[in-house]
Amino acid sequence: MSTNLEPRPRPGSPLPPPRRLPATAVPEGCVAWTGEKLEAWARTRPPVWVPTRTRPLHLLAVVPGGLIVGFWLANFAEVPAALAVLVPLQLVWTLVRPEVVRFSAPALLLLLSWYGKSHDVPTLLGLTAVTCTWAVAEIRLSKRRLQRQWALAAAEGATATVPDEAGPLRRGRFLMGLGFVLTALGAGLLSLASGWDVATDRHEVTLVGWFVVGWGLTTLLSGWLGRRRAAALRGGPVPVLRVLVRDGADGDAEVFAADDADALRPLFTVAAEEWYDDSDEEVEERIGREERDELLDAVEDVGDDDEQPGPLREAVLYGPPHEGAEIVIVSAAEKPEETEYQGPVDLEKPGEPDGTDGAEDAGGSPAELIVESSSGPVRPLSDRAVRRWGAAQRVRARRSTVHEELRARAVTESRARLGDEPVAVRRWRAGWADWTAALFMIAAVAAVGLYPDGLTQYVLGGAIGVFGVLVLPQMLAWRITADRSGLWLSGWSRTRHIEWDHLMTVRCAGTVLTVDSSQESFTAWSVRAERWRGLERKLRLVHPYERTAAEITAMWREPALRPEGEYSGRGRPLWPLGVVLAVVWAAALVLLP
């Protein structure tokens, strides 16, 4: 069974030793990445004012300004839209594709010299800005080459072929597909704007159309470059280095020096994914039974501000790491592999060691290896980024300590209450947190669905209304009932049942309470409610979902705490409430002006 109440390392406590990587997984001659060559690699990081860790928010911040300048050039300087669009695209390329800047910057300088006047302030400012972007791109590319050279020197000539477990080449598929779609949309917008009569509107729409085309081609180029670099890793032996790695709180892999067992200074982060062979039935079964919990965590913990990074693991890097590079990571598993599922396995009791060192499972067999391929480029961390990272780690650890204390209190109180109040059946139901979330959703649905006029109101309101009718009943009236046989969970059409022996997951992850069964025919049951983590910490409040998860877990662990009666009512389905909400929403669409 999986639960967020499992014993875990206390935040701020010394880190356990890194999970050991079997010697058979280390290529011959592979050296640890430490010492002077590592320091030389770190010194070649670009300056802090050179953008190397671009986020979508950065693009959203600079693109509007570039488009405004482009509109000004198209409308007042009479620059053709196809040329004026180079201004916003130059900002995009500076952030994400410096390889393009060395070609686009000379073109922009020529454009400004042709259309501008030598003594115009806007022209001088434009020339200065373009020169700065060109210099930033060249510095970034030169640092990238130096990092690659130092990484090759650190490998000391050791090479190896990427393991077959890395799977087929997948890098770039999504970006290339998205690039084609954006380019097609931009071309369609240009075709539409060509038939307009109003010159000003036509210029603006044409500029936006060319921008979408340029963005699409940039995305296509990013996907092609990433795929080309990933393919080069699989084309033959590549340099290898021994490092330490762990899964960061944000989901990216954090890479440390081989001797940084305290995880004090991450070298770089990279988005990585593991490949599974869909034809392997054993792997499919393992994913469906064990790693489904990890997938739920990844989706549900988006709003969880105390999520902690995973354990350190020994790993081997395939490919020279540098800014923008593609790599493959072979590392020890985070936990020993369970060879066979034999029904529910009792959770570790407090103070009971797990009996493993990360290199062998309970039976003495080698630990499972994790082979991950980068799904994004390598992003080195500057000293300032490391300081911010460390501060965020400390804040997250303090928050996690408080929440762990609250969860522990919930466990203690739940055990005491369950033992003092024997009942035939025990129930949990929607409360203030669920009703608050439902109120916010109703307000949002009403604001969006009732705002338009005419036919748009009925089409948009009807679509949003269907969503609300399907989601709101569970938020308003969910129920969990426990009896001696198991749990009864409210559903849209019927109440579902999980026997105690089949209970696999009870987890409060962020804003979501999840209950799941080991039976493959059972789909996970979940409800979502709002949380105010800061208020919970300040007032020392235990969220109702945390208390519910603690009480169900206590009954699962100790059969003596389970109710002795049998639930005969089986509960009511939620669809009648959905019908009432549908009627009310339809009346609002028809009657309200």
Side-chain angles (χ1 to χ4, degrees):
M1 176 176 168
S2 177
T3 169
N4 59 310
L5 302 175
E6 290 178 341
R8 67 180 71 181
R10 188 175 184 85
S13 60
L15 294 177
R19 301 282 186 178
R20 299 297 301 277
L21 187 66
T24 55
V26 181
E28 182 179 358
C30 182
V31 298
W33 198 18
T34 59
E36 296 180 358
K37 293 181 179 179
L38 174 62
E39 294 298 329
W41 181 92
R43 287 194 297 269
T44 58
R45 292 187 303 267
V48 295
W49 44 269
V50 175
T52 58
R53 301 182 61 84
T54 303
R55 302 296 184 186
L57 185 62
H58 301 157
L59 293 175
L60 293 178
V62 302
V63 166
L67 286 175
I68 291 175
V69 176
F71 291 150
W72 181 84
L73 291 174
N75 290 322
F76 298 99
E78 298 182 353
V79 177
L83 298 178
V85 75
L86 290 176
V87 174
L89 287 177
Q90 179 77 357
L91 298 177
V92 174
W93 294 329
T94 302
L95 294 177
V96 300
R97 287 270 64 90
E99 303 91 342
V100 181
V101 174
R102 56 176 41 172
F103 301 102
S104 62
L108 269 175
L109 292 176
L110 180 62
L111 174 67
L112 290 173
S113 301
W114 182 268
Y115 285 94
K117 297 180 180 180
S118 58
H119 299 291
D120 284 349
V121 174
T123 301
L124 295 177
L125 292 177
L127 292 172
T128 303
V130 173
T131 304
C132 289
T133 59
W134 194 356
V136 166
E138 289 297 338
I139 292 174
R140 182 174 174 183
L141 293 175
S142 64
K143 294 293 186 179
R144 178 183 297 182
R145 289 191 297 271
L146 288 174
Q147 280 191 332
R148 176 179 174 83
Q149 293 172 4
W150 279 112
L152 291 174
E156 298 182 0
T159 60
T161 303
V162 171
D164 295 336
E165 289 80 4
L169 184 60
R170 307 177 303 280
R171 183 76 168 97
R173 290 179 180 177
F174 173 76
L175 288 177
M176 293 175 71
L178 179 61
F180 279 119
V181 172
L182 289 174
T183 304
L185 289 177
L189 192 59
L190 289 174
S191 177
L192 178 66
S194 62
W196 287 21
D197 296 330
V198 182
T200 302
D201 291 342
R202 185 172 66 248
H203 287 162
E204 295 175 352
V205 175
T206 301
L207 182 70
V208 172
W210 279 114
F211 177 76
V212 175
V213 170
W215 198 315
L217 293 176
T218 303
T219 306
L220 186 62
L221 176 62
S222 297
W224 179 78
L225 288 176
R227 189 173 184 83
R228 179 172 172 267
R229 291 166 181 165
L233 289 177
R234 292 163 169 81
V238 294
V240 289
L241 290 166
R242 293 192 64 175
V243 295
L244 297 178
V245 67
R246 73 178 180 185
D247 293 334
D250 59 355
D252 289 346
E254 299 174 349
V255 178
F256 300 82
D259 57 354
D260 189 5
D262 294 326
L264 299 177
R265 209 286 181 205
L267 302 174
F268 61 85
T269 62
V270 61
E273 60 180 3
E274 189 176 0
W275 177 74
Y276 300 101
D277 186 358
D278 294 337
S279 62
D280 192 335
E281 296 181 359
E282 181 180 353
V283 174
E284 285 185 347
E285 182 179 359
R286 176 162 59 87
I287 295 173
R289 188 171 57 241
E290 298 173 357
E291 297 191 357
R292 176 168 49 189
D293 292 335
E294 298 178 7
L295 178 62
L296 287 172
D297 286 343
V299 175
E300 295 165 358
D301 288 347
V302 173
D304 196 354
D305 61 359
D306 66 340
E307 182 68 10
Q308 294 297 302
L312 274 177
R313 317 187 305 273
E314 293 184 354
V316 173
L317 292 184
Y318 286 77
H322 58 85
E323 193 269 320
E326 303 289 333
I327 59 174
V328 172
I329 305 174
V330 177
S331 62
E334 290 191 3
K335 56 184 178 181
E337 180 183 10
E338 295 179 7
T339 58
E340 184 178 356
Y341 180 75
Q342 300 175 345
V345 179
D346 196 4
L347 297 172
E348 295 173 358
K349 304 301 186 294
E352 180 182 3
D354 59 11
T356 64
D357 63 356
E360 294 183 351
D361 61 15
S365 60
E368 178 193 10
L369 295 178
I370 297 179
V371 182
E372 299 174 297
S373 300
S374 57
S375 58
V378 168
R379 295 299 186 219
L381 288 164
S382 64
D383 291 334
R384 187 174 67 176
V386 170
R387 288 193 295 270
R388 291 199 304 265
W389 173 87
Q393 289 282 93
R394 291 188 292 272
V395 171
R396 191 179 292 113
R398 289 195 296 269
R399 292 173 176 175
S400 183
T401 300
V402 175
H403 289 306
E404 288 302 316
E405 293 175 355
L406 294 177
R407 284 170 177 160
R409 192 182 79 183
V411 172
T412 303
E413 294 176 352
S414 298
R415 290 179 182 274
R417 191 171 76 87
L418 293 174
D420 296 339
E421 302 177 9
V423 293
V425 296
R426 193 168 297 278
R427 295 181 175 88
W428 301 268
R429 63 184 71 234
W432 61 267
D434 306 275
W435 299 332
T436 302
L439 181 62
F440 286 151
M441 178 174 289
I442 291 173
V445 168
V448 176
L450 300 179
Y451 177 76
D453 296 326
L455 182 61
T456 304
Q457 181 183 25
Y458 295 107
V459 174
L460 182 61
I464 295 178
V466 170
F467 171 77
V469 166
L470 294 176
V471 173
L472 284 173
Q474 181 82 334
M475 299 176 66
L476 292 169
W478 67 265
R479 300 181 307 276
I480 301 178
T481 304
D483 63 5
R484 63 185 181 184
S485 64
L487 300 178
W488 298 87
L489 310 171
S490 62
W492 178 263
S493 58
R494 61 182 177 86
T495 300
R496 297 191 290 169
H497 183 245
I498 302 178
E499 297 181 8
W500 288 113
D501 290 340
H502 295 160
L503 186 60
M504 184 181 70
T505 299
V506 177
R507 176 185 290 106
C508 175
T511 61
V512 181
L513 173 65
T514 302
V515 181
D516 201 359
S517 169
S518 60
Q519 300 295 311
E520 294 296 332
S521 60
F522 189 95
T523 57
W525 181 96
S526 63
V527 288
R528 181 184 297 269
E530 295 299 323
R531 294 193 70 165
W532 293 274
R533 292 282 194 175
L535 189 62
E536 292 178 29
R537 292 191 295 269
K538 184 176 181 179
L539 301 181
R540 311 291 293 184
L541 295 176
V542 179
H543 193 273
Y545 285 4
E546 299 278 7
R547 196 179 303 278
T548 299
E551 293 181 358
I552 295 176
T553 302
M555 289 190 294
W556 184 88
R557 283 176 170 170
E558 301 182 22
L561 299 178
R562 300 173 187 173
E564 299 180 354
E566 183 175 352
Y567 182 49
S568 57
R570 300 294 187 268
R572 296 182 300 275
L574 298 176
W575 66 263
L577 178 58
V579 172
V580 173
L581 294 175
V583 171
V584 172
W585 180 248
L589 288 177
V590 173
L591 299 179
L592 293 180

